[in-house]
């Protein structure tokens, strides 16, 4: 892994979420792909954040960013509204309907990376508008490793820009349903091969409660989940997975170990609303779940 600087760079959404599930509802919860990825990975590796919030962003959210990020130079606050997202979950927790997506201050965000952040060697471009992902990609070193996540909204509405993002992507993280949407292919091996042909040499397909699979030049790796019961709120599971996965890569771990750390961190997120449980996870608990995921037993 090429890390000329000792940090990972993270860009994605910073949101106030309204979540409705069979276990209850919460409004204006601190969320967004950046938030989950940061709280997941920031404890393991120094993480620099690129993003924007409105002047309505709560002080409690700011404290979380200060606690988990190593550098907030490129986190801007502008007059206007913080990104907001609302979702209604089906009883199975693997499926949900988006009720609203309000970009707020993200709509006109045009980040200019600090000189330090331009030197990033490993960048996690978590789920956000592909134009923003492209802008950040174009400002970092040519040889940076670029890990990208996206979602159905962007596949449906900004396919061309997403294609440009994929051309530059090193590793793509994508949900099973999004892989189908992108490729029209229901066989996952075929879908992964089609996505590799779009640019990313390595593809990770996240399959919700059944695990994840990684395809690279010479490997195909299956990773299970750490089972938790009940799943209270699945929001942010994918982003927490991404945060753990990228942190493990930064630490020089194998793809299998990176998938395991992703799955371990995601398992905490779904145990409660927002980042509540993820932020409480202890090193011992994480290690126990990692051992289970890697060995297939309780270690
Ligand atoms: P996940 O459950 O891992 O797919 O991520 C859910 C998080 O993604 C929520 O906290 C939302 O705030 C955020 N989110 C939802 N829609 C979008 C979008 N279109 N762009 C960026 N982030 C989003």
């Amino acid at each position: 892994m090429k890390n000329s600087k000792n940090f990972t760079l993270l860009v994605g959404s910073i949101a106030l979420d309204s979540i409705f599930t069979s276990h209850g509802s919460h409004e204006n919860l601190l969320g967004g792909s950046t938030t989950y990825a940061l709280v997941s990975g920031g404890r393991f590796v120094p993480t620099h954040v690129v993003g924007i919030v409105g002047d309505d962003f709560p002080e409690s959210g700011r404290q979380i960013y200060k606690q988990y990020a190593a550098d907030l130079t490129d986190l801007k606050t502008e007059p206007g509204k913080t990104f907001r997202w609302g979702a209604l979950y089906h009883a199975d927790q693997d499926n949900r309907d988006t009720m609203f997506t309000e970009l707020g201050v993200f709509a006109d965000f045009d980040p200019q990376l600090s000189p330090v952040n331009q030197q990033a060697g490993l960048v996690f471009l978590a789920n956000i508008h592909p134009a923003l992902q492209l802008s950040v990609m174009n400002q970092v070193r040519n040889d940076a490793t670029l890990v990208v996540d996206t979602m159905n909204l962007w596949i449906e509405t900004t396919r061309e820009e997403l294609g440009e993002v994929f051309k530059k992507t090193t590793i793509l993280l994508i949900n099973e349903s999004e892989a189908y949407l992108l490729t029209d292919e229901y066989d996952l091996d075929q879908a992964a091969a089609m996505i590799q042909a779009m640019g990313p040499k390595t593809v990770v397909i996240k399959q919700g409660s059944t695990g994840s699979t990684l395809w690279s030049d010479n490997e195909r790796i299956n990773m299970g989940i750490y089972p938790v019961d009940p799943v209270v709120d699945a929001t942010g599971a994918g982003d927490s997975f991404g945060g753990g996965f990228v942190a493990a890569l930064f630490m020089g771990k194998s793809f299998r170990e990176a998938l395991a750390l992703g799955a371990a961190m995601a398992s905490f997120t779904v145990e409660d609303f927002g980042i509540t449980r993820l932020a409480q996870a202890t090193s011992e608990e994480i290690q126990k779940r990692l051992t289970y995921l890697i060995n297939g037993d309780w270690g």
Side-chain angles (χ1 to χ4, degrees):
M1 197 64 41
K2 301 152 290 205
N3 291 311
S4 66
K5 292 280 172 182
N6 201 23
F7 64 90
T8 63
L9 188 63
L10 170 61
V11 62
S13 58
I14 302 169
L16 298 175
D17 289 341
S18 294
I19 309 290
F20 303 87
T21 79
S22 52
H23 294 277
S25 309
H26 283 275
E27 291 187 47
N28 293 320
L29 271 178
L30 177 64
S33 55
T34 300
T35 302
Y36 285 103
L38 176 66
V39 177
S40 173
R43 66 160 74 213
F44 301 112
V45 301
T47 305
H48 293 197
V49 170
V50 181
I52 188 166
V53 295
D55 50 14
D56 58 353
F57 193 63
E59 183 54 32
S60 54
R62 219 171 275 285
Q63 288 306 324
I64 293 290
Y65 272 77
K66 284 187 185 151
Q67 183 182 344
Y68 286 91
D71 181 282
L72 294 173
T73 309
D74 287 332
L75 174 61
K76 305 295 177 209
T77 304
E78 295 291 341
K81 288 201 151 196
T82 297
F83 184 109
R84 277 180 169 72
W85 180 72
L88 176 64
Y89 279 82
H90 303 188
D92 66 10
Q93 288 287 345
D94 262 354
N95 291 296
R96 66 188 180 202
D97 297 314
T98 292
M99 295 161 67
F100 55 86
T101 303
E102 297 166 5
L103 294 182
V105 287
F106 261 103
D108 303 313
F109 184 41
D110 181 19
Q112 305 299 320
L113 296 194
S114 70
V116 169
N117 285 343
Q118 289 172 18
Q119 293 303 313
L122 177 57
V123 187
F124 183 19
L125 302 121
N127 175 33
I128 190 64
H129 196 298
L132 180 50
Q133 293 178 320
L134 259 184
S135 162
V136 172
M137 285 176 157
N138 288 332
Q139 293 180 59
V140 295
R141 294 156 38 124
N142 280 337
D143 62 349
T145 298
L146 304 174
V147 183
V148 170
D149 197 349
T150 191
M151 79 181 300
N152 53 352
L153 175 68
W154 310 124
I155 296 170
E156 281 160 353
T157 62
T158 58
R159 184 70 75 105
E160 223 170 279
E161 281 159 303
L162 205 53
E164 293 305 309
V165 168
F166 290 164
K167 281 184 200 162
K168 290 173 172 272
T169 299
T170 318
I171 303 176
L172 182 70
L173 311 178
I174 190 166
N175 286 344
E176 191 172 14
S177 60
E178 294 157 359
Y180 295 149
L181 189 63
L182 185 63
T183 61
D184 269 330
E185 173 57 64
Y186 279 81
D187 179 286
L188 280 190
D189 288 307
Q190 298 287 346
M194 287 172 71
I195 296 170
Q196 284 174 314
M198 296 176 193
K201 284 223 160 50
T202 302
V203 176
V204 177
I205 300 187
K206 298 172 284 179
Q207 296 148 276
S209 57
T210 56
S212 56
T213 308
L214 176 146
W215 290 259
S216 70
D217 279 347
N218 49 12
E219 280 181 300
R220 182 188 192 281
I221 306 171
N222 276 312
M223 181 54 59
I225 61 155
Y226 181 91
V228 298
D229 190 24
V231 171
V232 171
D233 171 19
T235 306
D239 312 311
S240 308
F241 178 97
F245 180 85
V246 170
L249 292 185
F250 183 86
M251 295 187 285
K253 306 287 185 192
S254 67
F255 278 145
R256 177 174 296 281
E257 291 167 318
L259 292 172
L261 189 56
M265 300 316 284
S267 73
F268 293 106
T269 297
V270 303
E271 284 189 274
D272 205 344
F273 284 90
I275 58 165
T276 312
R277 179 69 177 102
L278 180 63
Q280 289 165 350
T282 65
S283 305
E284 292 73 28
E285 288 175 317
I286 295 169
Q287 192 52 52
K288 180 179 162 194
R289 294 186 185 196
L290 263 179
T291 305
Y292 173 91
L293 284 157
I294 290 178
N295 298 344
D297 59 30
W298 289 90

